[in-house]
Amino acid sequence: METKKFERRDQLIAAALEEFIDKDYEKASLNTIIKNANLSKGVFYYHFKNKESLYIALLEDASNKKWQYIKTHSNNKDFCEMDIFDGFLYQAKIGVKFARDFPKYHQLARMFSKEKGNPIYHTSLKYIKISGTDALEKMIKAAYQNEEIRSDYPISFTIPLLSHLFTEFDSIFYLDGNNDLEKTLELLEKYVEFMRYGLKP
């Protein structure tokens, strides 16, 4: 979502982060955010339309920081040599490290997961998942070309299935707090093993 840039944007985003990790979207107070950012309402409304536009900007900021972190901490050569399943696990593990290094963004992601079923969740996804979904579809198509996925499964079946599994890990295995990050790593290993081999013994 495009918004006008201004000098105190980081200050406003930081105040918004504190409010939205403490309260759900409906209960979060825009007045509190503006006050804690030490801005006038006039300045806020010049740059943002409403609470929704600020929330989406915050989620975009968090998503961009996470993907930049993953890119920075990835060895591109190693990643390019991995199949789709090892590649997902590799990036997911870096994502867990991001959660450790930036616990407030991790808390924001948890709070956002709780919004599922609310209008703001679906509205926000239009902005924060488009690029990730496109990249994932390219990965799946490349996996077919590299014979990493069974050819008897049509791609029209596999793309929505793997897209759901890759993007919904947090909602399937919801774990509260940073203390569960070790458990998350264990689950990620099993999750990818399931995607690769299924449930058959």
Side-chain angles (χ1 to χ4, degrees):
M1 177 173 283
E2 290 297 321
T3 55
K4 304 179 187 74
K5 303 296 183 185
F6 66 112
E7 288 182 7
R8 296 167 78 179
R9 183 183 187 280
D10 289 347
Q11 192 172 330
L12 176 61
I13 290 294
L17 179 60
E18 293 294 336
E19 184 72 1
F20 285 118
I21 64 176
D22 185 54
K23 302 179 182 74
D24 63 34
Y25 176 78
E26 284 300 323
K27 291 179 182 175
S29 167
L30 181 57
N31 287 335
T32 297
I33 293 169
I34 293 171
K35 179 182 176 183
N36 290 343
N38 199 24
L39 294 177
S40 69
K41 287 187 177 181
V43 169
F44 172 82
Y45 284 109
Y46 180 75
H47 295 283
F48 291 91
K49 183 178 179 181
N50 49 29
K51 182 170 81 169
E52 178 183 292
S53 65
L54 175 62
Y55 184 65
I56 291 170
L58 174 62
L59 291 173
E60 286 184 302
D61 187 68
S63 179
N64 290 338
K65 279 186 169 61
K66 179 178 179 178
W67 283 107
Q68 186 56 49
Y69 182 96
I70 288 172
K71 288 177 184 176
T72 301
H73 289 76
S74 295
N75 182 320
N76 196 49
K77 182 177 181 295
D78 289 345
F79 180 72
C80 289
E81 293 175 356
M82 295 177 183
D83 69 16
I84 188 172
F85 304 105
D86 288 336
F88 168 73
L89 183 59
Y90 180 74
Q91 289 194 332
K93 284 181 175 180
I94 297 173
V96 171
K97 291 178 183 176
F98 174 82
R100 282 201 188 108
D101 291 347
F102 298 92
K104 288 184 179 178
Y105 283 122
H106 179 57
Q107 291 169 30
L108 178 67
R110 295 301 192 200
M111 292 298 288
F112 179 63
S113 293
K114 293 179 181 179
E115 298 291 346
K116 197 166 187 178
N118 296 329
I120 189 61
Y121 182 85
H122 301 290
T123 300
S124 301
L125 285 186
K126 295 176 186 176
Y127 296 97
I128 64 173
K129 272 197 174 178
I130 291 173
S131 60
T133 302
D134 289 345
L136 185 54
E137 188 168 321
K138 288 178 183 177
M139 283 177 64
I140 294 169
K141 288 178 178 177
Y144 267 93
Q145 292 176 351
N146 296 331
E147 299 182 346
E148 297 165 5
I149 296 174
R150 283 172 45 179
S151 60
D152 57 321
Y153 287 130
I155 197 167
S156 59
F157 166 82
T158 307
I159 286 178
L161 175 66
L162 289 184
S163 295
H164 179 78
L165 289 173
F166 282 143
T167 58
E168 294 297 326
F169 174 84
D170 285 345
S171 63
I172 295 171
F173 300 104
Y174 186 84
L175 300 170
D176 272 322
N178 289 339
N179 293 334
D180 285 321
L181 290 177
E182 289 301 322
K183 183 65 175 176
T184 298
L185 286 172
E186 292 176 23
L187 285 170
L188 279 168
E189 297 275 0
K190 289 182 173 65
Y191 199 60
V192 172
E193 186 176 336
F194 161 73
M195 284 189 279
R196 190 192 293 274
Y197 301 113
L199 296 174
K200 186 176 179 179

